[in-house]
């Protein structure tokens, strides 16, 4: 079983940066592929970035070069560094395993990019 708690969201101007954190419980965290997802109003939830236990990463085309996913297995935490934020990055951001576990969704953290 995995429990996930996201934090770090907020209001930021276009071009700004935020760092999201996801604290995970569960003894199998280190071997799981972890991902960041987001859901904008009226849109389906989408995968933004993922990070495997071996260190490989993957990004959605829309965030490539701007977002960086990382993890600290010792702290059971996965991060999402978001730079050069755009209006269209506004969404609720969630972390989950990849593929996502239906029972693992947390409350998410709101990111609002606005001038």
């Amino acid at each position: 079983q995995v429990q996930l708690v996201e934090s770090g969201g907020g209001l930021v101007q276009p071009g700004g940066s935020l760092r999201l954190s996801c604290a995970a419980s569960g003894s199998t965290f280190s071997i799981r592929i972890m991902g960041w997802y987001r859901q904008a109003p009226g849109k389906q939830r989408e995968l933004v970035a993922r990070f495997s236990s071996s260190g490989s990463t993957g990004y959605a085309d829309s965030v490539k070069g701007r977002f960086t996913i990382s993890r600290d297995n010792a702290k059971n935490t996965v991060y999402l560094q978001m730079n050069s934020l755009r209006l269209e990055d506004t969404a609720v951001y969630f972390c989950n395993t990849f593929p996502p576990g239906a029972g693992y969704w947390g409350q998410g953290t709101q990111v609002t990019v606005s001038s």
Side-chain angles (χ1 to χ4, degrees):
Q1 186 70 16
V2 175
Q3 291 184 320
L4 304 165
V5 179
E6 304 92 345
S7 63
L11 174 64
V12 63
Q13 292 185 338
S17 298
L18 283 174
R19 188 193 195 204
L20 306 183
S21 298
C22 171
S25 63
S27 59
T28 60
F29 172 81
S30 64
I31 65 173
R32 292 176 180 262
I33 300 173
M34 296 300 298
W36 279 99
Y37 303 77
R38 68 184 180 188
Q39 186 166 20
K43 295 188 177 181
Q44 287 191 331
R45 196 169 297 180
E46 63 173 347
L47 176 68
V48 173
R50 58 185 172 88
F51 194 117
S52 76
S53 58
S54 65
S56 64
T57 58
Y59 298 92
D61 288 342
S62 59
V63 307
K64 206 171 289 185
R66 300 188 298 121
F67 290 12
T68 303
I69 189 171
S70 61
R71 65 192 293 168
D72 185 337
N73 287 338
K75 296 182 178 179
N76 275 14
T77 302
V78 60
Y79 305 97
L80 186 67
Q81 178 66 43
M82 306 187 296
N83 298 328
S84 302
L85 282 162
R86 304 170 180 170
L87 298 176
E88 56 265 35
D89 294 320
T90 294
V92 180
Y93 285 71
F94 303 85
C95 66
N96 204 325
T97 56
F98 176 81
Y104 298 164
W105 294 111
Q107 296 298 310
T109 186
Q110 176 70 48
V111 172
T112 302
V113 185
S114 174
S115 56

